[in-house]
Amino acid sequence: MEVRAAGLGMLRVVCLFAVFDAVCLLDSGMLFPRESPSGEVKELNGLWDFRADDSTNRNQSFERARYKKRLIGPVIDMPVPASYNGITQDAALRDFIGWVLYEREVVVPARWISDEGTRVVLRVGSAHYFSIVWVNGVKVTQHAGGHLPFEVEIGSLIRKDPTMPCRITIAVNNTLSLETLPPGKIQYMEDRTKFFVQNIYFDFFNYAGIHCPVLLYTTPKAYVDDISVVTDLDKTGLVKYKVSVQSAAKGTIRVTLKDKDGRSVASSSKPSGVLKVEDVNLWWPYLMHENPGYLYSMEVHLMATDGRSTYEDMYTLPVGIRSVAVTSTQFLINDKPFYFHGVNKHEDSDIRGKGFDWSLIVKDFNLLKWMGANSFRTSHYPYAEEILQMCDRHGIVVIDECPGVGIKDIRSFGNASLAHHLDVMDELVRRDKNHPSVVMWSVANEPASEMPPAEFYFETLIKHTKDLDPTRPVTYITDSNYARDKGAPFVDVICVNSYFSWYHDSGHLELIPLQLNNQFENWYGKYKKPIIQSEYGADAVPGLHSDPPVMFIEEYQNIVLQSYHSVFDQKKKQYVIGELIWNFADFMTVQGIKTIKTGNKKGVFTRQRQPKRAAFILKERYWRLANETGRLGLPPSNHQCHAVKNPW
Ligand code: GCB
């Protein structure tokens, strides 16, 4: 295997050099805004004015051009970031479908306005689903799709009349159609008791609103627009980089890579090149090394002129140096086998829904590390970029998923859907390409991959993603039968979801080992690719007990987990490279009569992040796996002490 890995290393280095000649990303960058000597950031989080357009045709806001003046009528306070659904006592707003308007007046620092050499950028971290933005009644941008950021330069607009306050209006529409991602369908009710309902094909609440921070930030007029970094190892650490600048007629660039102590370890004055780092500190996953998540800082310094003035811009990008490769039986990080023992998550919590919340994020990271989880998948959509930054720093490995969930209707495999899916992958790769924690792209979850159009759809989508980023493996998550799945030939890693003794053969826990064993043998036998069990689990209402166990009882969840684990333990010696529990925590879904629940209760933690018994079972297991498959060599007695050690 070592020999094979070395061969792969060579191949990877070739890839590394080819990467920047790959398909062009979108025409501008999407660097995370950071304060620097040349740029300021102003958060617009807090209370905004809010009004839902509940007119019968859901279009009155536009007919009456409400964005032209301050919002009037039934305007309420709405926190940003947050989903609006859980904020009031009004069930109609919880379940609202259509346009809502957010509005806020902002005081823009006078020097931002007076200095024509300053770009003022309005950035929305994410808003679900379709957004239109106006500044002082003038439309400045629009964006299709939740989860990912969009931005627009507004300096020239607000300079037109500096005496005017800067009034920002954001209209957000959560309607899903067969061509959105995720897809959905509006159904008009014939009996007219309800005007229409939104049908969805995924198992989580379609939370809506402004979910990530809204910012104003500045850069000089000539600025560092994008940085792409790809790393590898070849005795030394290799950092291949490319810097794109905007609005500079002429200029010089200085790129300096600094270690954690601020010492320069490599530098260059070219806009692209390879930095070599001797005695490199590699980026390692949590529990694979005693110093995981090592990050260098890449300082990019631009001195530029547009012919009339000179500008100086600085951007600092955290860089983790690591390699990723896949063989037919292994996933390698830094040429060492990596076993995913982790979770699937949701961005979901009481009241705020999918709204960004540092307290929740830090709590979740504490729980992940307590449990000994080394990885998660961003099921079923991209998470806030701040979460990936946490993963970079803590060494939590990420399978980064786009919102391609619930592609079940054959019409969602059409050209328009595919074109939008490709755009979303462009946006996702553009945002997340530099995160060392991201080791694989997932382009979809449980699509109807047995349908005939799935073959062309996934071949195109996966090829496009590999063109965007030849350095990371690509997958999608399947629940289809190995013999009928049309997309599997194109993926690098097979990711399979299965719920034996839950959605079928309910109650028959004794069938799990046989069925799971067959699942693995069949997929591996056909495709000879490494396999991740990307979902498995069972609902459990905490505090309910019964022996012998029945469904929805904690003991039942535990036996499901343990039955899966015994098979994983066999197969991980062969080609199974990971196990991700469904789910980290209970989460909200639409209401229904199918189960005793509102909300999915397959969490090993409750929605309030309290452990069920299953969390302790996983904790025991994950620390053991870390010991066996990681490189810490912890004696068992050390598990507890590592588990309780506060890493911050
Ligand atoms: C799945 C889906 C996930 C669901 C889960 C369940 O296969 O990928 O979104 O929540 O099953 O609990 O049904």
Side-chain angles (χ1 to χ4, degrees):
M1 186 46 66
E2 288 304 323
V3 175
R4 251 177 121 166
L8 269 166
M10 291 272 295
L11 192 78
R12 270 201 329 257
V13 176
V14 174
C15 265
L16 171 75
F17 285 88
V19 66
F20 295 123
D21 305 323
V23 165
C24 250
L25 289 173
L26 302 168
D27 49 8
S28 65
M30 195 50 79
L31 290 174
F32 188 82
R34 292 172 195 279
E35 298 215 296
S36 78
S38 59
E40 294 169 75
V41 177
K42 186 178 164 75
E43 283 205 347
L44 306 184
N45 298 342
L47 290 187
W48 288 54
D49 288 342
F50 176 93
R51 181 175 174 174
D53 182 346
D54 54 6
S55 58
T56 318
N57 66 359
R58 292 291 195 267
N59 207 31
Q60 217 177 65
S61 310
F62 292 89
E63 288 161 4
R64 302 204 176 160
R66 290 205 194 279
Y67 46 85
K68 292 253 185 220
K69 299 207 192 91
R70 285 221 63 153
L71 274 186
I72 47 159
V75 172
I76 59 171
D77 286 342
M78 189 54 70
V80 168
S83 303
Y84 57 73
N85 313 76
I87 299 295
T88 72
Q89 296 310 101
D90 184 359
L93 183 59
R94 181 192 62 201
D95 300 328
F96 184 76
I97 306 159
W99 289 104
V100 298
L101 295 178
Y102 288 78
E103 184 193 71
R104 166 157 179 186
E105 270 188 11
V106 182
V107 178
V108 181
R111 64 182 182 286
W112 290 14
I113 298 185
S114 58
D115 179 3
E116 300 244 342
T118 294
R119 282 172 73 240
V120 181
V121 183
L122 171 62
R123 173 177 173 118
V124 180
S126 82
H128 188 75
Y129 177 86
F130 191 86
S131 310
I132 304 179
V133 183
W134 296 265
V135 171
N136 294 336
V138 178
K139 181 175 167 185
V140 289
T141 193
Q142 63 178 45
H143 183 256
H147 315 291
L148 291 166
F150 53 97
E151 59 181 37
V152 56
E153 207 278 324
I154 60 165
S156 40
L157 183 69
I158 52 182
R159 274 181 203 116
K160 278 194 185 139
D161 184 357
T163 59
M164 263 185 49
C166 171
R167 186 170 52 84
I168 300 173
T169 315
I170 306 180
V172 187
N173 192 330
N174 60 349
T175 308
L176 300 178
S177 74
L178 289 169
E179 289 163 4
T180 56
L181 212 61
K185 206 168 91 189
I186 295 292
Q187 184 184 356
Y188 290 88
M189 307 304 279
E190 276 169 17
D191 63 4
R192 313 298 283 179
T193 48
K194 257 190 189 174
F195 185 49
F196 53 80
V197 293
Q198 170 79 70
N199 291 325
I200 52 175
Y201 313 107
F202 50 84
D203 181 38
F204 54 91
F205 195 91
N206 188 31
Y207 279 113
I210 301 179
H211 284 154
C212 284
V214 181
L215 309 174
L216 282 180
Y217 73 91
T218 64
T219 71
K221 205 167 153 196
Y223 63 100
V224 176
D225 178 48
D226 199 12
I227 307 172
S228 298
V229 160
V230 173
T231 67
D232 208 338
L233 351 161
D234 178 18
K235 295 202 184 85
T236 54
L238 300 175
V239 180
K240 171 137 187 178
Y241 70 92
K242 182 176 181 184
V243 178
S244 324
V245 299
Q246 289 284 350
S247 310
K250 272 205 229 132
T252 57
I253 278 188
R254 183 94 200 135
V255 177
T256 314
L257 195 69
K258 292 188 172 170
D259 68 13
K260 273 210 159 146
D261 301 320
R263 277 187 300 257
S264 164
V265 295
S267 62
S268 161
S269 52
K270 302 215 174 86
S272 61
V274 184
L275 303 174
K276 292 196 174 158
V277 186
E278 306 291 339
D279 298 325
V280 62
N281 280 304
L282 295 179
W283 186 93
W284 286 100
Y286 176 54
L287 298 180
M288 206 171 169
H289 193 268
E290 58 284 350
N291 187 13
Y294 190 96
L295 294 175
Y296 291 87
S297 298
M298 180 185 271
E299 289 180 7
V300 178
H301 188 184
L302 169 72
M303 289 287 289
T305 166
D306 61 0
R308 283 185 305 173
S309 313
T310 55
Y311 303 96
E312 189 173 355
D313 193 19
M314 277 268 289
Y315 189 87
T316 303
L317 180 77
V319 171
I321 302 179
R322 57 106 183 95
S323 67
V324 169
V326 174
T327 73
S328 62
T329 55
Q330 288 185 315
F331 197 97
L332 303 172
I333 296 185
N334 301 336
D335 293 334
K336 301 275 187 277
F338 175 75
Y339 186 78
F340 295 79
H341 43 88
V343 305
N344 291 278
K345 288 185 95 265
H346 263 298
E347 287 184 319
D348 174 272
S349 73
D350 282 338
I351 303 172
R352 57 188 67 59
K354 291 203 179 308
F356 177 89
D357 177 3
W358 271 124
S359 311
L360 183 77
I361 293 170
V362 175
K363 176 72 177 173
D364 282 3
F365 271 76
N366 278 314
L367 292 177
L368 288 170
K369 294 178 82 172
W370 171 86
M371 208 163 70
N374 63 3
S375 51
F376 66 79
R377 163 180 159 230
T378 69
S379 43
H380 292 308
Y381 38 79
Y383 295 174
E385 192 171 355
E386 290 86 339
I387 296 179
L388 297 183
Q389 292 165 356
M390 288 283 281
C391 291
D392 293 343
R393 291 198 293 114
H394 293 280
I396 301 293
V397 168
V398 176
I399 300 174
D400 201 354
E401 189 156 294
C402 92
V405 54
I407 307 177
K408 303 285 188 197
D409 188 302
I410 199 154
R411 287 166 289 178
S412 297
F413 285 101
N415 289 344
S417 297
L418 179 57
H420 180 55
H421 208 146
L422 297 177
D423 287 348
V424 174
M425 286 313 301
D426 287 352
E427 286 186 33
L428 177 62
V429 174
R430 172 176 70 170
R431 192 195 70 164
D432 293 349
K433 62 189 169 185
N434 293 326
H435 288 286
S437 55
V438 173
V439 300
M440 182 153 68
W441 305 111
S442 161
V443 298
N445 178 69
E446 296 186 1
S449 53
E450 69 290 349
M451 284 184 179
E455 185 168 350
F456 173 74
Y457 193 93
F458 284 105
E459 184 178 6
T460 312
L461 187 58
I462 292 170
K463 183 175 176 307
H464 180 79
T465 309
K466 287 187 184 192
D467 285 345
L468 290 171
D469 179 4
T471 68
R472 287 180 177 91
V474 183
T475 190
Y476 70 84
I477 314 294
T478 187
D479 64 343
S480 148
N481 183 293
Y482 73 100
R484 295 166 59 209
D485 195 283
K486 300 260 184 293
F490 311 109
V491 302
D492 297 304
V493 172
I494 304 274
C495 288
V496 193
N497 297 346
S498 58
Y499 289 92
F500 302 126
S501 87
W502 192 261
Y503 289 119
H504 46 86
D505 307 310
S506 304
H508 286 281
L509 292 161
E510 75 286 359
L511 296 179
I512 294 176
L514 180 72
Q515 293 183 338
L516 185 58
N517 191 68
N518 287 345
Q519 166 198 288
F520 286 140
E521 289 293 286
N522 289 336
W523 279 99
Y524 191 75
K526 178 148 188 204
Y527 292 105
K528 300 284 186 293
K529 294 180 185 180
I531 304 180
I532 296 178
Q533 180 74 39
S534 40
E535 287 180 25
Y536 71 103
D539 292 73
V541 180
L544 292 188
H545 300 285
S546 125
D547 186 47
V550 291
M551 294 173 79
F552 292 101
I553 302 298
E554 286 209 51
E555 284 79 5
Y556 194 95
Q557 183 183 38
N558 296 343
I559 295 180
V560 169
L561 266 50
Q562 284 162 332
S563 310
Y564 269 77
H565 295 165
S566 64
V567 181
F568 297 157
D569 281 338
Q570 293 309 311
K571 297 296 173 195
K572 77 181 165 54
K573 295 179 197 144
Q574 301 170 24
Y575 48 76
V576 168
I577 57 164
E579 51 187 90
L580 304 175
I581 186 77
W582 191 264
N583 188 284
F584 172 73
D586 293 347
F587 57 90
M588 191 46 73
T589 62
V590 288
Q591 304 181 54
I593 49 153
K594 279 200 202 135
T595 60
I596 58 171
K597 55 173 190 166
T598 291
N600 187 305
K601 299 275 192 293
K602 294 195 183 70
V604 296
F605 295 97
T606 63
R607 201 176 188 217
Q608 292 69 33
R609 277 40 180 187
Q610 294 307 320
K612 301 181 194 172
R613 183 72 211 128
F616 294 94
I617 290 181
L618 282 186
K619 175 175 176 244
E620 187 65 33
R621 174 170 177 79
Y622 285 180
W623 281 95
R624 177 168 69 71
L625 288 173
N627 208 24
E628 286 168 16
T629 62
R631 307 212 110 55
L632 280 183
L634 303 173
S637 59
N638 269 0
H639 291 182
Q640 188 57 21
C641 113
H642 271 78
V644 294
K645 195 175 115 196
N646 185 336
W648 291 279

